[in-house]
Amino acid sequence: MAGGPVTGHVSPEQLQIVTQILSSDPLNYLWIALLGFMGGTLSGFIGSGGAFLMTPGMMNLGVPGVMAVGANITHKFGKAMMGSRKHGEMGHVDKKLAVFLLITALIGIKLAVWVNGYMFHHLGKAGSSLYVSAFFVLTLSVIGGSMLRDALRTARGTAVGPSKALLNLSSKLRIPPMINFPVAGVKISLWTILFVGTAVGYMAGTIGVGGFIGVPAMIYVFGVPTVVAAGTELFLAMFMGAWGAFNYALAGFVDLRLTFLLYAGSLVGIYFGAIGTKLVKELYIRMVTAILILLCCVSRGLAIPEYLHKLNIISLSERSAQMFELGSKFFLFASGGIATLLIIYWTLKGHIEKQRLVKKYGLISIGEKSLSA
């Protein structure tokens, strides 16, 4: 596999990888759909695509990192398109800001696809998975740790949200030209926008997760209101997803079977998650997100020794390799499963309590009033 082209060529090995994984165990069809369901539930609940669960989950089933990212970013495109439309109707999308971010985000994605393809063709399946896993652990452990710290501060009453240190810093870096964005209500340096756009694109193209950089960056670096940041990121993700899907497909790294299996689960899960956001405290949402991200990082971290062993960088006994593999799968599917069950439990509990109050006091929610009007 070494020395092969990075893009524009699909090898027979690439075409057979997913076929071999699915045919080796028919239950893998169910596992991938289950990953989609868990990711969709989390997507509706926390406003993210759940890629931090789905990408490593597919890798745990044997899908090379580059193909897991390719399937997930293709899957993300469809969901972002639906979400962006809804936010657009509510006026939560700053299209001007999205266009400026998109310029360098597309460059970042293209670079990420090239690097991922290079790793796959020159270091094989293990090298590709090692690169994606290492990037995953390094970036999301920082994000998850920061989110957990801020949630705990909120729970203790010492803070009401994430630190504004980055916003204060960026407000001092007013390097011309300054661009005004009326919908978001902010004025930002073009250079800051281009830097953030590149970072968002590269992260989305590398591990399929862009919103965890894009949304916080817009809120805590640009000072954009939360609802506008979420809507603008979805609008941006629609084009990033399409561009990422095209480039990964061009390189032969998108298997539509994986994408459709993810959709089969996520379109059901996202319904439960979206309902849960109206019935569960915001602090719980932040804490669940942070803890799950960190557990997914632990899962990817446990998978790294096996990839190093396959690349002959370290030596592991067969038993040790099996233990690392089992631990990685356990942490990912157990944490994702528990988080999903908690969301469904909280949602059902909140719904039952709401119906009890409606029946007892004859209360009608604002949403129901608008529907009956």
Side-chain angles (χ1 to χ4, degrees):
M1 193 170 292
V6 175
T7 59
H9 173 73
V10 184
S11 68
E13 290 82 2
Q14 287 170 244
L15 293 173
Q16 291 299 317
I17 287 175
V18 176
T19 299
Q20 292 170 357
I21 292 170
L22 295 176
S23 61
S24 65
D25 186 356
L27 282 177
N28 284 337
Y29 286 94
L30 177 62
W31 286 120
I32 295 171
L34 181 60
L35 280 171
F37 176 76
M38 292 190 292
T41 303
L42 292 166
S43 175
F45 189 66
I46 65 179
S48 167
F52 60 84
L53 180 72
M54 291 185 285
T55 296
M58 285 185 282
M59 292 169 65
N60 274 335
L61 295 174
V63 179
V66 65
M67 298 189 76
V69 174
N72 189 62
I73 205 168
T74 304
H75 159 264
K76 178 181 179 180
F77 159 65
K79 288 201 303 179
M81 183 167 57
M82 293 185 290
S84 172
R85 180 180 177 182
K86 185 64 177 178
H87 276 277
E89 292 172 354
M90 297 185 289
H92 295 163
V93 177
D94 191 319
K95 294 183 179 180
K96 182 179 177 182
L97 176 58
V99 168
F100 273 89
L101 287 170
L102 187 64
I103 295 170
T104 47
L106 297 183
I107 297 174
I109 290 174
K110 183 69 175 180
L111 178 61
V113 173
W114 186 89
V115 173
N116 259 342
Y118 180 91
M119 292 292 180
F120 180 81
H121 284 295
H122 289 75
L123 297 177
K125 177 180 173 180
S128 168
S129 297
L130 174 62
Y131 169 68
V132 172
S133 297
F135 192 94
F136 188 101
V137 172
L138 289 174
T139 54
L140 290 189
S141 60
V142 173
I143 294 171
S146 299
M147 291 179 67
L148 181 60
R149 179 196 62 193
D150 294 329
L152 292 175
R153 286 179 176 175
T154 302
R156 291 194 297 263
T158 57
V160 293
S163 170
K164 294 186 178 180
L166 289 176
L167 179 58
N168 294 333
L169 176 62
S170 65
S171 64
K172 298 176 182 178
L173 301 176
R174 303 179 67 84
I175 306 172
M178 301 293 293
I179 312 296
N180 183 47
F181 299 98
V183 176
V186 294
K187 183 177 287 188
I188 315 164
S189 169
L190 174 65
W191 305 108
T192 303
I193 297 171
L194 297 181
F195 175 79
V196 171
T198 304
V200 171
Y202 191 81
M203 189 170 181
T206 301
I207 57 178
V209 180
F212 270 93
I213 288 287
V215 173
M218 280 187 265
I219 296 172
Y220 303 111
V221 177
F222 298 165
V224 176
T226 301
V227 291
V228 177
T232 302
E233 194 280 328
L234 281 171
F235 182 79
L236 178 64
M238 180 173 60
F239 294 97
M240 288 169 52
W243 179 246
F246 172 76
N247 280 277
Y248 272 111
L250 184 65
F253 295 128
V254 174
D255 191 296
L256 291 179
R257 287 170 295 182
L258 294 176
T259 302
F260 289 138
L261 285 169
L262 291 176
Y263 271 128
S266 68
L267 294 180
V268 177
I270 199 169
Y271 173 78
F272 289 100
I275 295 175
T277 58
K278 301 178 181 179
L279 302 171
V280 180
K281 291 182 179 179
E282 189 266 347
L283 176 60
Y284 290 166
I285 296 176
R286 287 164 54 193
M287 292 191 73
V288 166
T289 304
I291 293 172
L292 183 57
I293 290 174
L294 293 174
L295 288 174
C296 288
C297 287
V298 172
S299 171
R300 276 298 86 204
L302 289 173
I304 287 176
E306 183 182 0
Y307 300 140
L308 293 173
H309 172 68
K310 290 179 178 179
L311 291 169
N312 298 317
I313 296 175
I314 64 172
S315 179
L316 290 176
S317 65
E318 184 177 349
R319 180 175 176 79
S320 297
Q322 290 175 348
M323 291 298 293
F324 277 115
E325 180 182 6
L326 181 62
S328 178
K329 289 181 178 179
F330 173 80
F331 267 96
L332 185 117
F333 283 96
S335 58
I338 291 171
T340 302
L341 290 174
L342 280 174
I343 293 169
I344 294 174
Y345 170 74
W346 287 333
T347 301
L348 291 176
K349 182 180 178 182
H351 179 71
I352 292 171
E353 179 64 18
K354 177 183 174 182
Q355 292 303 310
R356 186 184 70 81
L357 292 173
V358 168
K359 185 176 180 180
K360 185 175 182 179
Y361 300 106
L363 299 176
I364 302 177
S365 69
I366 294 175
E368 291 169 335
K369 284 182 179 179
S370 64
L371 288 174
S372 62

